[in-house]
Amino acid sequence: MKESLRELILAALAELRAQALLPDGATPTFVVERTRNREHGDFASNVAMTLAKAAGRKPRELAEAIAGILAGDPRIARVEVAGPGFVNVFLADEAIHGEIRHIRAAGATYGRNAGGGGRKLQIEFVSANPTGPLHVGHGRGAAVGDSLARILAANGWAVTREFYYNDAGAQIHNLALSVQARCKGIEPEHVGWPADGYRGEYIRDVARDYLAGATVQADGHDVTAAGDADDLDAIRRFAVTWLRREQDLDLRAFGVAFDVYFLESSLYADGKVEETVRSLVAAGHTYEQDGALWLRTTDFGDDKDRVMRKSEGGYTYFVPDVAYHRNKWQRGFERVINEQGADHHSTVTRVRAGLQALDVGIPKGWPEYVLHQMVTVMRGGEEVKLSKRTGNYVTVRDLIDEVGRDATRYFLVARKTDSQLVFDIDLARAQTNDNPVYYIQYAHARVCSVQRQLAERGLVADLEAGYAALDRLDSEHERVLMGELTRYPEIVEAAAAQLDPQLVAQYLRDLAAAFHAYYNAHQFIVDEAALRHARIALADAARQVLANGLDLLGVSAPETM
């Protein structure tokens, strides 16, 4: 509806130009937004104030001219000019009813748009080191990343989900040493345990399976354990695959799937790191100093130049990052979004600087980043500590087992990503209205219960008749609910523009509140057929939008609770 009104305003401006009341080319950047108070209309626009100077007219005078044209459209009940020149638009009931009918016609596609135009977009998220089970911080990344992928797809982008495995470097070496120590019967408290070893009980499980000659599969590849406690390379290959499988199982339980799994080690095996370094040298943005190879990242906004190849040999960690993102660019992604923890903040400028230094046409600000803050888990009013090194941390699987997938996913996207999040296990388990995911799902289940009650009374839900009789609904609760329903497409668009799934989570809570208020205030199964059909049709529209919105967050829409 917002976009339709914008088109009406543009048509009004075209008419004013045709009447020579506006100069040619005078098309401003203006906003159309919903009013906070319905007494001021359904929508308001600042179009007259942004155009007044170019038009050489007073803002209120121009607003009156625009309002006069808009008022002639049958979808608009009336238009008022407010304050210094705001154009406040009151929609006709039929315009709102038409949008409610559109919900039924569009069904599961309601709220989607073609803004992305089918262009290629990749979102990388989770990308955990294969050194242990996924902790709740990874869970937040998974929930946010997968929700963003769903939201961006709903906005017309061709989305690829990608998981980058850091399967090279010191952490993987420490993993192999830890498993080897367990294979040899060395415990974390014993002399000989690796200084930076992983102490979790899962290391014992990996060692047990390795010694037993087990076969594990990850991403379609089988690895069979050699069983030799002295073969560190074989231990490393098996341990990485074992933990990749465990992480895959965690993600599957979380309802998250990836299109591509990319291994850091492949960048070295395929020569992509060396190729990227040669390209940077050829582009003229590197120099040698103190036996090291440096990249002049200060030319591209960094606060200091960065070492690429250390004087003692070997590349610094940001070099394979640049090589990886160069590979993404070569795969033709117009947009790339990295959803990562806030501890990756320092890499943003370095990676972008490295990509700019390649001089291959990569835009500034590519890739985009969504960085989430830490998660604090609470139970019984006390914090549950997270510590990957000690093995005493809450995993994604722990949360799913305790509160279920739906509550876990919703709670992890319920706040803006740049805000720290407190995950209250007790609240997530509560079957009360204080639990937002329960509150939202209960609204959906309530609609389904009404439809069952009809059948029990031998009545039929005539939705076609109900959607045709929406003019019978004139209470304040019904107006509020209709208004909330018609906001949904704007929320989907805004969530994609701001890369913020929390907008969908909050909207669903508002929509559920509007529906519960309506349900509590009115009887649905009344004697008068036309009114009964209309109320059930409005409830059906609410059910559809609730289901659509929950799907964007990867949360189910139950029919019973």
Side-chain angles (χ1 to χ4, degrees), residues 199-486:
R199 297 167 173 262
E201 281 299 305
Y202 63 90
I203 297 297
R204 190 191 304 277
D205 297 335
V206 179
R208 181 198 62 230
D209 286 354
Y210 177 78
L211 292 174
T215 297
V216 292
Q217 183 184 85
D219 195 23
H221 299 287
D222 290 341
V223 173
T224 299
D228 182 356
D230 292 318
D231 190 339
L232 192 62
D233 284 341
I235 291 173
R236 177 187 57 78
R237 286 192 298 272
F238 181 81
V240 166
T241 306
W242 195 98
L243 285 163
R244 284 185 62 193
R245 181 197 63 182
E246 287 302 295
Q247 292 181 355
D248 289 348
L249 291 173
D250 290 345
L251 292 167
R252 196 176 305 164
F254 207 38
V256 175
F258 289 87
D259 304 301
V260 177
Y261 291 93
F262 196 103
L263 302 182
E264 180 187 2
S265 58
S266 71
L267 293 170
Y268 293 95
D270 297 340
K272 297 301 182 183
V273 174
E274 288 288 350
E275 181 182 307
T276 299
V277 172
R278 288 195 298 270
S279 296
L280 289 168
V281 172
H285 297 296
T286 64
Y287 61 93
E288 297 270 356
Q289 181 178 304
D290 300 328
L293 179 65
W294 293 71
L295 181 63
R296 195 174 284 106
T297 54
T298 50
D299 290 349
F300 303 97
D302 203 356
D303 58 345
K304 61 181 180 180
D305 293 343
R306 303 291 173 176
V307 174
M308 294 174 58
R309 187 181 61 239
K310 295 174 282 190
S311 57
E312 65 271 21
Y315 294 114
T316 55
Y317 72 91
F318 98 98
V319 176
D321 282 348
V322 174
Y324 174 45
H325 285 86
R326 181 190 189 213
N327 174 274
K328 293 183 181 186
W329 176 256
Q330 292 170 335
R331 282 186 271 160
F333 292 111
E334 180 175 328
R335 291 179 67 187
V336 164
I337 299 166
N338 293 340
E339 202 294 332
Q340 297 172 321
D343 56 336
H344 288 79
H345 184 270
S346 61
T347 69
V348 174
T349 302
R350 298 175 201 177
V351 170
R352 286 175 174 170
L355 294 171
Q356 291 295 301
L358 288 167
D359 290 341
V360 292
I362 297 176
K364 291 182 179 180
W366 192 101
E368 302 164 57
Y369 285 85
V370 175
L371 303 179
H372 66 260
Q373 290 289 338
M374 66 177 291
V375 179
T376 301
V377 179
M378 303 290 290
R379 181 193 286 113
E382 296 183 357
E383 180 179 353
V384 181
K385 296 290 186 180
L386 311 182
S387 176
K388 193 167 188 177
R389 290 291 183 187
T390 64
N392 180 30
Y393 66 94
V394 178
T395 68
V396 173
R397 193 85 66 88
D398 290 333
L399 285 183
I400 295 171
D401 289 344
E402 284 221 38
V403 306
R405 185 176 82 182
D406 287 342
T408 302
R409 287 195 61 139
Y410 183 91
F411 272 67
L412 289 175
V413 300
R415 288 183 61 82
K416 292 180 70 67
T417 54
D418 60 3
S419 300
Q420 293 190 7
L421 186 148
V422 175
F423 193 109
D424 187 332
I425 290 176
D426 298 324
L427 178 60
R429 296 183 65 180
Q431 294 188 0
T432 69
N433 291 344
D434 293 329
N435 178 349
V437 69
Y438 176 86
Y439 188 62
I440 295 163
Q441 290 181 317
Y442 185 41
H444 184 273
R446 268 185 151 178
V447 180
C448 298
S449 74
V450 170
Q451 295 170 341
R452 289 193 298 272
Q453 290 171 35
L454 275 174
E456 291 169 1
R457 298 188 187 189
L459 300 172
V460 176
D462 190 338
L463 293 179
E464 184 174 351
Y467 279 101
L470 293 175
D471 58 343
R472 297 299 309 274
L473 307 180
D474 56 6
S475 74
E476 184 61 22
H477 288 110
E478 288 158 339
R479 291 179 185 276
V480 169
L481 179 55
M482 288 186 200
E484 283 295 329
L485 290 170
T486 62

